[in-house]
Short mmCIF file of all heavy atoms in Angstrom, two decimals:
data_model
loop_
_atom_site.label_atom_id
_atom_site.label_comp_id
_atom_site.label_asym_id
_atom_site.label_seq_id
_atom_site.Cartn_x
_atom_site.Cartn_y
_atom_site.Cartn_z
N ILE A 16 0.83 -1.19 0.06
CA ILE A 16 0.06 -0.07 0.00
C ILE A 16 0.87 1.25 0.07
O ILE A 16 1.67 1.40 0.90
CB ILE A 16 -0.93 -0.01 1.26
CG1 ILE A 16 -1.81 -1.27 1.26
CG2 ILE A 16 -1.72 1.27 1.26
CD1 ILE A 16 -2.67 -1.48 2.52
N GLY A 17 0.84 2.07 -1.01
CA GLY A 17 1.64 3.34 -1.09
C GLY A 17 3.14 2.86 -0.94
O GLY A 17 3.93 3.70 -0.44
N GLY A 18 3.55 1.72 -1.48
CA GLY A 18 4.91 1.36 -1.56
C GLY A 18 5.39 0.73 -0.18
O GLY A 18 6.57 0.35 -0.09
N LYS A 19 4.49 0.54 0.78
CA LYS A 19 4.85 -0.15 1.99
C LYS A 19 4.23 -1.58 2.08
O LYS A 19 3.10 -1.70 1.66
CB LYS A 19 4.35 0.68 3.18
CG LYS A 19 4.66 0.06 4.58
CD LYS A 19 4.43 0.96 5.71
CE LYS A 19 4.85 0.35 6.95
NZ LYS A 19 4.68 1.22 8.09
N ASP A 20 5.05 -2.50 2.46
CA ASP A 20 4.55 -3.87 2.62
C ASP A 20 4.04 -4.08 4.00
O ASP A 20 4.48 -3.52 5.02
CB ASP A 20 5.81 -4.89 2.44
CG ASP A 20 6.31 -4.89 1.01
OD1 ASP A 20 5.49 -4.62 0.09
OD2 ASP A 20 7.46 -5.17 0.79
N TYR A 21 2.96 -4.95 4.09
CA TYR A 21 2.38 -5.31 5.38
C TYR A 21 2.40 -6.78 5.47
O TYR A 21 1.91 -7.47 4.63
CB TYR A 21 0.94 -4.77 5.42
CG TYR A 21 0.87 -3.27 5.58
CD1 TYR A 21 0.91 -2.41 4.42
CD2 TYR A 21 0.92 -2.64 6.78
CE1 TYR A 21 0.78 -1.07 4.51
CE2 TYR A 21 0.89 -1.30 6.87
CZ TYR A 21 0.86 -0.50 5.78
OH TYR A 21 0.84 0.85 5.84
N GLU A 22 2.91 -7.26 6.61
CA GLU A 22 2.80 -8.78 6.94
C GLU A 22 1.68 -8.87 8.03
O GLU A 22 1.82 -8.28 9.16
CB GLU A 22 4.11 -9.21 7.49
CG GLU A 22 4.03 -10.70 7.81
CD GLU A 22 5.40 -11.22 8.34
OE1 GLU A 22 6.46 -10.59 7.96
OE2 GLU A 22 5.35 -12.14 9.04
N VAL A 23 0.67 -9.62 7.63
CA VAL A 23 -0.48 -9.73 8.52
C VAL A 23 -0.59 -11.22 8.90
O VAL A 23 -0.71 -12.10 8.07
CB VAL A 23 -1.83 -9.22 7.82
CG1 VAL A 23 -3.00 -9.37 8.80
CG2 VAL A 23 -1.64 -7.85 7.33
N THR A 24 -0.81 -11.41 10.21
CA THR A 24 -0.99 -12.77 10.69
C THR A 24 -2.28 -12.77 11.56
O THR A 24 -2.37 -11.92 12.40
CB THR A 24 0.20 -13.21 11.59
OG1 THR A 24 1.40 -13.12 10.81
CG2 THR A 24 0.06 -14.67 12.11
N LEU A 25 -3.05 -13.76 11.37
CA LEU A 25 -4.28 -13.95 12.24
C LEU A 25 -3.80 -14.67 13.55
O LEU A 25 -3.32 -15.70 13.60
CB LEU A 25 -5.29 -14.84 11.58
CG LEU A 25 -6.62 -15.16 12.32
CD1 LEU A 25 -7.34 -13.79 12.61
CD2 LEU A 25 -7.50 -16.10 11.58
N ASN A 26 -3.85 -13.87 14.60
CA ASN A 26 -3.34 -14.23 15.90
C ASN A 26 -4.33 -14.96 16.76
O ASN A 26 -3.95 -15.81 17.56
CB ASN A 26 -2.84 -12.99 16.66
CG ASN A 26 -2.02 -13.27 17.93
OD1 ASN A 26 -1.11 -14.12 17.83
ND2 ASN A 26 -2.32 -12.61 18.99
N PHE A 27 -5.62 -14.59 16.61
CA PHE A 27 -6.67 -15.20 17.51
C PHE A 27 -8.01 -15.07 16.74
O PHE A 27 -8.28 -14.06 16.04
CB PHE A 27 -6.77 -14.29 18.80
CG PHE A 27 -7.94 -14.60 19.63
CD1 PHE A 27 -7.97 -15.63 20.55
CD2 PHE A 27 -9.16 -13.85 19.50
CE1 PHE A 27 -9.13 -15.97 21.23
CE2 PHE A 27 -10.30 -14.20 20.28
CZ PHE A 27 -10.22 -15.23 21.20
N VAL A 28 -8.83 -16.05 16.88
CA VAL A 28 -10.22 -16.01 16.31
C VAL A 28 -11.05 -16.83 17.23
O VAL A 28 -10.73 -17.84 17.72
CB VAL A 28 -10.26 -16.49 14.85
CG1 VAL A 28 -9.95 -17.91 14.78
CG2 VAL A 28 -11.57 -16.22 14.23
N ASP A 29 -12.29 -16.36 17.49
CA ASP A 29 -13.37 -17.12 18.12
C ASP A 29 -14.62 -16.85 17.45
O ASP A 29 -14.60 -16.39 16.30
CB ASP A 29 -13.38 -16.83 19.72
CG ASP A 29 -13.92 -15.58 20.03
OD1 ASP A 29 -14.35 -14.72 19.20
OD2 ASP A 29 -13.82 -15.16 21.25
N ASP A 30 -15.81 -17.15 18.05
CA ASP A 30 -17.03 -17.12 17.40
C ASP A 30 -17.45 -15.70 16.92
O ASP A 30 -18.25 -15.57 15.93
CB ASP A 30 -18.20 -17.69 18.28
CG ASP A 30 -18.33 -17.00 19.47
OD1 ASP A 30 -17.43 -16.40 20.02
OD2 ASP A 30 -19.40 -17.03 20.03
N ASP A 31 -16.90 -14.60 17.49
CA ASP A 31 -17.32 -13.29 17.04
C ASP A 31 -16.16 -12.21 16.97
O ASP A 31 -16.40 -11.09 16.77
CB ASP A 31 -18.45 -12.77 17.76
CG ASP A 31 -18.12 -12.49 19.23
OD1 ASP A 31 -17.09 -12.89 19.73
OD2 ASP A 31 -18.90 -11.81 19.91
N GLU A 32 -14.90 -12.67 17.32
CA GLU A 32 -13.80 -11.72 17.36
C GLU A 32 -12.55 -12.26 16.62
O GLU A 32 -12.36 -13.46 16.57
CB GLU A 32 -13.37 -11.44 18.76
CG GLU A 32 -14.45 -10.70 19.59
CD GLU A 32 -13.98 -10.40 20.94
OE1 GLU A 32 -13.44 -11.30 21.62
OE2 GLU A 32 -14.09 -9.21 21.40
N ALA A 33 -11.74 -11.38 16.05
CA ALA A 33 -10.45 -11.71 15.48
C ALA A 33 -9.42 -10.69 15.97
O ALA A 33 -9.71 -9.58 16.23
CB ALA A 33 -10.58 -11.70 14.00
N GLN A 34 -8.15 -11.21 16.03
CA GLN A 34 -7.11 -10.31 16.40
C GLN A 34 -5.87 -10.65 15.45
O GLN A 34 -5.72 -11.80 15.10
CB GLN A 34 -6.63 -10.59 17.81
CG GLN A 34 -5.47 -9.74 18.28
CD GLN A 34 -5.13 -10.09 19.75
OE1 GLN A 34 -5.00 -11.23 20.06
NE2 GLN A 34 -5.02 -9.04 20.57
N PHE A 35 -5.15 -9.52 15.01
CA PHE A 35 -4.01 -9.70 14.12
C PHE A 35 -2.83 -9.24 14.66
O PHE A 35 -2.77 -8.37 15.56
CB PHE A 35 -4.44 -8.96 12.80
CG PHE A 35 -5.70 -9.35 12.07
CD1 PHE A 35 -6.95 -8.79 12.39
CD2 PHE A 35 -5.62 -10.47 11.17
CE1 PHE A 35 -8.01 -9.15 11.73
CE2 PHE A 35 -6.81 -10.81 10.54
CZ PHE A 35 -7.97 -10.20 10.85
N VAL A 36 -1.74 -9.62 14.02
CA VAL A 36 -0.43 -9.04 14.21
C VAL A 36 -0.04 -8.47 12.87
O VAL A 36 0.05 -9.18 11.92
CB VAL A 36 0.67 -10.04 14.74
CG1 VAL A 36 2.02 -9.40 14.79
CG2 VAL A 36 0.24 -10.56 16.05
N VAL A 37 0.18 -7.09 12.82
CA VAL A 37 0.50 -6.49 11.53
C VAL A 37 1.85 -5.78 11.69
O VAL A 37 2.08 -4.93 12.54
CB VAL A 37 -0.50 -5.38 11.23
CG1 VAL A 37 -0.25 -4.70 9.89
CG2 VAL A 37 -1.91 -5.97 11.23
N ASN A 38 2.81 -6.26 10.90
CA ASN A 38 4.21 -5.84 10.95
C ASN A 38 4.69 -5.72 12.42
O ASN A 38 5.35 -4.87 12.86
CB ASN A 38 4.35 -4.45 10.38
CG ASN A 38 4.22 -4.41 8.85
OD1 ASN A 38 4.13 -5.57 8.22
ND2 ASN A 38 4.07 -3.31 8.23
N GLY A 39 4.40 -6.84 13.16
CA GLY A 39 4.89 -7.00 14.51
C GLY A 39 4.05 -6.36 15.56
O GLY A 39 4.35 -6.49 16.73
N GLN A 40 2.99 -5.52 15.12
CA GLN A 40 2.16 -4.85 16.12
C GLN A 40 0.86 -5.57 16.29
O GLN A 40 0.16 -5.79 15.35
CB GLN A 40 1.95 -3.45 15.70
CG GLN A 40 1.04 -2.62 16.63
CD GLN A 40 0.84 -1.22 16.12
OE1 GLN A 40 1.53 -0.64 15.31
NE2 GLN A 40 -0.16 -0.52 16.72
N GLN A 41 0.53 -5.92 17.48
CA GLN A 41 -0.74 -6.64 17.72
C GLN A 41 -1.93 -5.68 17.87
O GLN A 41 -1.78 -4.65 18.51
CB GLN A 41 -0.56 -7.42 19.10
CG GLN A 41 -1.81 -8.29 19.38
CD GLN A 41 -1.53 -9.15 20.61
OE1 GLN A 41 -0.69 -10.05 20.51
NE2 GLN A 41 -2.18 -8.87 21.71
N THR A 42 -3.03 -6.02 17.14
CA THR A 42 -4.26 -5.14 17.25
C THR A 42 -5.05 -5.67 18.46
O THR A 42 -4.77 -6.68 19.07
CB THR A 42 -5.05 -5.34 15.92
OG1 THR A 42 -5.58 -6.70 15.87
CG2 THR A 42 -4.26 -5.03 14.69
N ARG A 43 -6.00 -4.89 18.75
CA ARG A 43 -6.96 -5.33 19.79
C ARG A 43 -7.89 -6.35 19.11
O ARG A 43 -7.98 -6.42 17.89
CB ARG A 43 -7.69 -4.13 20.38
CG ARG A 43 -8.62 -3.47 19.36
CD ARG A 43 -9.34 -2.20 19.98
NE ARG A 43 -9.99 -1.39 19.04
CZ ARG A 43 -11.23 -1.69 18.59
NH1 ARG A 43 -11.85 -2.67 19.07
NH2 ARG A 43 -11.78 -0.98 17.68
N LYS A 44 -8.70 -7.10 19.87
CA LYS A 44 -9.65 -7.99 19.31
C LYS A 44 -10.80 -7.20 18.73
O LYS A 44 -11.26 -6.27 19.37
CB LYS A 44 -10.16 -8.98 20.46
CG LYS A 44 -9.12 -10.00 20.92
CD LYS A 44 -9.67 -10.85 22.01
CE LYS A 44 -8.56 -11.75 22.48
NZ LYS A 44 -8.94 -12.58 23.65
N LYS A 45 -11.19 -7.59 17.60
CA LYS A 45 -12.25 -6.85 16.79
C LYS A 45 -13.37 -7.78 16.32
O LYS A 45 -13.12 -8.93 15.97
CB LYS A 45 -11.54 -6.16 15.58
CG LYS A 45 -10.54 -5.08 15.97
CD LYS A 45 -9.99 -4.40 14.77
CE LYS A 45 -8.97 -5.30 13.98
NZ LYS A 45 -7.87 -5.72 14.74
N LYS A 46 -14.56 -7.20 16.47
CA LYS A 46 -15.77 -7.92 15.85
C LYS A 46 -15.99 -7.38 14.44
O LYS A 46 -15.38 -6.45 13.97
CB LYS A 46 -16.94 -7.55 16.75
CG LYS A 46 -16.80 -8.04 18.15
CD LYS A 46 -18.14 -7.71 18.99
CE LYS A 46 -17.99 -8.06 20.40
NZ LYS A 46 -18.17 -9.52 20.72
N ASP A 47 -16.89 -8.06 13.75
CA ASP A 47 -17.18 -7.61 12.39
C ASP A 47 -17.43 -6.18 12.40
O ASP A 47 -18.33 -5.65 13.15
CB ASP A 47 -18.45 -8.37 11.85
CG ASP A 47 -18.17 -9.83 11.53
OD1 ASP A 47 -16.96 -10.28 11.69
OD2 ASP A 47 -19.19 -10.63 11.29
N GLY A 48 -16.93 -5.34 11.42
CA GLY A 48 -17.15 -3.94 11.28
C GLY A 48 -16.23 -3.06 12.12
O GLY A 48 -16.18 -1.90 11.86
N ASP A 49 -15.51 -3.63 13.09
CA ASP A 49 -14.56 -2.80 13.91
C ASP A 49 -13.27 -2.54 13.20
O ASP A 49 -12.89 -3.31 12.28
CB ASP A 49 -14.17 -3.56 15.21
CG ASP A 49 -15.25 -3.68 16.20
OD1 ASP A 49 -16.29 -2.98 16.07
OD2 ASP A 49 -15.12 -4.40 17.26
N THR A 50 -12.78 -1.44 13.52
CA THR A 50 -11.44 -0.97 12.95
C THR A 50 -10.43 -0.67 14.09
O THR A 50 -10.88 -0.47 15.17
CB THR A 50 -11.52 0.24 12.02
OG1 THR A 50 -12.04 1.35 12.69
CG2 THR A 50 -12.43 -0.14 10.81
N ASP A 51 -9.13 -0.67 13.75
CA ASP A 51 -8.16 -0.27 14.75
C ASP A 51 -7.04 0.45 13.92
O ASP A 51 -6.81 0.16 12.73
CB ASP A 51 -7.55 -1.62 15.31
CG ASP A 51 -6.83 -1.36 16.67
OD1 ASP A 51 -6.96 -0.35 17.16
OD2 ASP A 51 -6.25 -2.40 17.16
N LYS A 52 -6.36 1.47 14.58
CA LYS A 52 -5.32 2.13 13.93
C LYS A 52 -4.06 1.68 14.46
O LYS A 52 -3.83 1.51 15.68
CB LYS A 52 -5.39 3.64 14.22
CG LYS A 52 -6.45 4.36 13.29
CD LYS A 52 -6.02 5.75 13.16
CE LYS A 52 -7.10 6.50 12.31
NZ LYS A 52 -6.71 6.84 11.07
N LEU A 53 -3.02 1.48 13.59
CA LEU A 53 -1.75 1.04 13.95
C LEU A 53 -0.90 2.29 14.33
O LEU A 53 -1.36 3.39 14.13
CB LEU A 53 -1.05 0.31 12.67
CG LEU A 53 -1.69 -0.86 12.18
CD1 LEU A 53 -0.98 -1.40 10.96
CD2 LEU A 53 -1.82 -1.96 13.32
N SER A 54 0.28 2.08 14.84
CA SER A 54 1.11 3.17 15.30
C SER A 54 1.52 4.12 14.20
O SER A 54 1.70 5.35 14.40
CB SER A 54 2.29 2.77 16.07
OG SER A 54 3.12 1.87 15.21
N ASP A 55 1.53 3.60 12.98
CA ASP A 55 1.82 4.44 11.76
C ASP A 55 0.65 5.13 11.18
O ASP A 55 0.78 5.74 10.10
CB ASP A 55 2.66 3.60 10.73
CG ASP A 55 1.71 2.62 10.03
OD1 ASP A 55 0.58 2.41 10.35
OD2 ASP A 55 2.31 1.93 9.17
N GLY A 56 -0.51 4.98 11.78
CA GLY A 56 -1.76 5.59 11.23
C GLY A 56 -2.58 4.78 10.35
O GLY A 56 -3.62 5.17 9.99
N THR A 57 -2.11 3.59 9.98
CA THR A 57 -2.75 2.71 9.04
C THR A 57 -3.97 2.11 9.76
O THR A 57 -3.86 1.67 10.87
CB THR A 57 -1.85 1.61 8.58
OG1 THR A 57 -0.71 2.22 7.93
CG2 THR A 57 -2.58 0.70 7.55
N THR A 58 -5.13 2.02 9.07
CA THR A 58 -6.32 1.45 9.60
C THR A 58 -6.42 -0.03 9.20
O THR A 58 -6.26 -0.39 8.06
CB THR A 58 -7.56 2.23 9.14
OG1 THR A 58 -7.51 3.55 9.60
CG2 THR A 58 -8.88 1.56 9.72
N VAL A 59 -6.78 -0.94 10.12
CA VAL A 59 -7.01 -2.30 9.91
C VAL A 59 -8.47 -2.59 10.39
O VAL A 59 -8.75 -2.20 11.47
CB VAL A 59 -5.97 -3.18 10.74
CG1 VAL A 59 -6.31 -4.67 10.44
CG2 VAL A 59 -4.55 -2.86 10.37
N GLY A 60 -9.24 -3.26 9.58
CA GLY A 60 -10.55 -3.53 9.92
C GLY A 60 -11.01 -4.99 9.56
O GLY A 60 -10.32 -5.60 8.78
N VAL A 61 -11.96 -5.43 10.28
CA VAL A 61 -12.56 -6.82 10.06
C VAL A 61 -13.83 -6.74 9.40
O VAL A 61 -14.74 -5.91 9.87
CB VAL A 61 -12.63 -7.57 11.40
CG1 VAL A 61 -13.35 -8.84 11.21
CG2 VAL A 61 -11.31 -7.76 12.01
N THR A 62 -14.05 -7.54 8.30
CA THR A 62 -15.37 -7.51 7.66
C THR A 62 -16.05 -8.81 7.86
O THR A 62 -17.30 -8.87 7.54
CB THR A 62 -15.15 -7.32 6.10
OG1 THR A 62 -14.26 -8.21 5.57
CG2 THR A 62 -14.65 -5.87 5.89
N ASP A 63 -15.45 -9.90 8.26
CA ASP A 63 -16.08 -11.05 8.43
C ASP A 63 -15.24 -12.00 9.35
O ASP A 63 -14.11 -12.15 9.13
CB ASP A 63 -16.35 -11.79 7.16
CG ASP A 63 -17.26 -13.07 7.22
OD1 ASP A 63 -18.23 -12.97 8.01
OD2 ASP A 63 -16.97 -14.04 6.64
N VAL A 64 -15.85 -12.77 10.28
CA VAL A 64 -15.19 -13.71 11.15
C VAL A 64 -15.93 -15.04 10.96
O VAL A 64 -17.15 -15.14 11.11
CB VAL A 64 -15.24 -13.27 12.67
CG1 VAL A 64 -14.61 -14.41 13.49
CG2 VAL A 64 -14.58 -12.00 12.88
N LEU A 65 -15.10 -16.17 10.71
CA LEU A 65 -15.69 -17.41 10.53
C LEU A 65 -14.95 -18.43 11.55
O LEU A 65 -13.78 -18.55 11.52
CB LEU A 65 -15.45 -17.95 9.14
CG LEU A 65 -15.89 -19.41 8.87
CD1 LEU A 65 -17.35 -19.65 9.12
CD2 LEU A 65 -15.55 -19.83 7.42
N TYR A 66 -15.74 -18.96 12.44
CA TYR A 66 -15.17 -19.83 13.47
C TYR A 66 -16.09 -21.06 13.61
O TYR A 66 -17.25 -20.97 13.91
CB TYR A 66 -15.13 -19.09 14.78
CG TYR A 66 -14.62 -19.92 15.92
CD1 TYR A 66 -13.24 -20.19 16.04
CD2 TYR A 66 -15.48 -20.41 16.86
CE1 TYR A 66 -12.74 -20.89 17.08
CE2 TYR A 66 -14.95 -21.14 18.00
CZ TYR A 66 -13.58 -21.44 18.08
OH TYR A 66 -13.10 -22.11 19.10
N GLN A 67 -15.49 -22.24 13.25
CA GLN A 67 -16.28 -23.50 13.37
C GLN A 67 -15.63 -24.31 14.50
O GLN A 67 -14.49 -24.80 14.45
CB GLN A 67 -16.16 -24.23 12.08
CG GLN A 67 -16.86 -23.47 10.92
CD GLN A 67 -16.70 -24.24 9.63
OE1 GLN A 67 -15.80 -24.92 9.39
NE2 GLN A 67 -17.67 -23.93 8.67
N ASP A 68 -16.32 -24.37 15.63
CA ASP A 68 -15.78 -24.89 16.89
C ASP A 68 -15.95 -26.42 16.90
O ASP A 68 -16.69 -27.06 17.70
CB ASP A 68 -16.52 -24.32 18.10
CG ASP A 68 -15.89 -24.66 19.40
OD1 ASP A 68 -14.81 -25.09 19.41
OD2 ASP A 68 -16.60 -24.54 20.44
N TYR A 69 -15.25 -27.21 15.96
CA TYR A 69 -15.17 -28.59 16.11
C TYR A 69 -13.91 -29.02 15.34
O TYR A 69 -13.26 -28.22 14.61
CB TYR A 69 -16.36 -29.22 15.37
CG TYR A 69 -16.68 -28.70 13.94
CD1 TYR A 69 -16.02 -29.29 12.82
CD2 TYR A 69 -17.64 -27.77 13.66
CE1 TYR A 69 -16.29 -28.95 11.57
CE2 TYR A 69 -17.85 -27.31 12.40
CZ TYR A 69 -17.14 -27.92 11.38
OH TYR A 69 -17.45 -27.48 10.07
N ALA A 70 -13.41 -30.25 15.53
CA ALA A 70 -12.26 -30.76 15.01
C ALA A 70 -12.29 -30.60 13.38
O ALA A 70 -13.19 -30.99 12.80
CB ALA A 70 -12.00 -32.22 15.37
N GLY A 71 -11.24 -29.96 12.89
CA GLY A 71 -11.15 -29.82 11.44
C GLY A 71 -12.03 -28.61 10.96
O GLY A 71 -12.04 -28.28 9.73
N GLY A 72 -12.61 -27.84 11.92
CA GLY A 72 -13.35 -26.69 11.62
C GLY A 72 -12.54 -25.49 10.99
O GLY A 72 -11.29 -25.49 11.30
N ILE A 73 -13.13 -24.61 10.31
CA ILE A 73 -12.37 -23.44 9.78
C ILE A 73 -12.46 -22.37 10.59
O ILE A 73 -13.45 -21.91 11.17
CB ILE A 73 -13.07 -23.12 8.30
CG1 ILE A 73 -12.95 -24.23 7.34
CG2 ILE A 73 -12.39 -21.84 7.77
CD1 ILE A 73 -13.73 -23.96 6.13
N ASP A 74 -11.21 -21.73 10.83
CA ASP A 74 -11.13 -20.50 11.60
C ASP A 74 -10.42 -19.42 10.69
O ASP A 74 -9.33 -19.65 10.23
CB ASP A 74 -10.17 -20.66 12.81
CG ASP A 74 -10.73 -21.66 13.81
OD1 ASP A 74 -11.94 -22.08 13.80
OD2 ASP A 74 -9.94 -22.19 14.65
N SER A 75 -11.24 -18.40 10.36
CA SER A 75 -10.63 -17.41 9.48
C SER A 75 -11.34 -16.01 9.69
O SER A 75 -12.29 -15.94 10.38
CB SER A 75 -10.89 -17.79 8.03
OG SER A 75 -12.23 -17.79 7.64
N ALA A 76 -10.68 -14.98 9.19
CA ALA A 76 -11.23 -13.73 9.24
C ALA A 76 -10.86 -12.85 7.97
O ALA A 76 -9.80 -12.98 7.50
CB ALA A 76 -10.74 -12.94 10.48
N THR A 77 -11.79 -12.16 7.49
CA THR A 77 -11.61 -11.30 6.36
C THR A 77 -11.31 -9.89 6.81
O THR A 77 -11.97 -9.36 7.76
CB THR A 77 -12.81 -11.30 5.37
OG1 THR A 77 -13.18 -12.69 5.03
CG2 THR A 77 -12.49 -10.50 4.13
N PHE A 78 -10.27 -9.24 6.34
CA PHE A 78 -9.82 -7.99 6.80
C PHE A 78 -9.44 -6.99 5.72
O PHE A 78 -9.35 -7.42 4.62
CB PHE A 78 -8.57 -8.20 7.77
CG PHE A 78 -7.37 -8.60 7.07
CD1 PHE A 78 -6.43 -7.70 6.66
CD2 PHE A 78 -7.18 -9.96 6.75
CE1 PHE A 78 -5.22 -8.02 6.00
CE2 PHE A 78 -6.05 -10.33 6.13
CZ PHE A 78 -5.03 -9.37 5.71
N PHE A 79 -9.28 -5.75 6.06
CA PHE A 79 -8.72 -4.78 5.11
C PHE A 79 -7.74 -3.95 5.82
O PHE A 79 -7.70 -3.65 7.06
CB PHE A 79 -9.84 -3.99 4.59
CG PHE A 79 -10.58 -3.08 5.53
CD1 PHE A 79 -10.20 -1.75 5.87
CD2 PHE A 79 -11.72 -3.61 6.15
CE1 PHE A 79 -10.87 -1.03 6.70
CE2 PHE A 79 -12.46 -2.76 7.04
CZ PHE A 79 -12.04 -1.49 7.34
N VAL A 80 -6.81 -3.37 5.00
CA VAL A 80 -5.74 -2.46 5.55
C VAL A 80 -5.90 -1.25 4.73
O VAL A 80 -6.10 -1.26 3.52
CB VAL A 80 -4.28 -3.04 5.34
CG1 VAL A 80 -3.22 -2.06 5.74
CG2 VAL A 80 -4.18 -4.34 6.06
#
């Protein structure tokens, strides 16, 4: 984005929240529609959380930077 690379890792997910690590900075836990600002002013948001609480279930989150 604007010549800057972002490394994003899904750090935590449950039935309604997700948390990321972006370029080494941990975000707060966010629900669908929540946003968070990084120390450099970049906004990170969550648009969808998918959590299947059973063996082999899918845990994922859709986000934007």
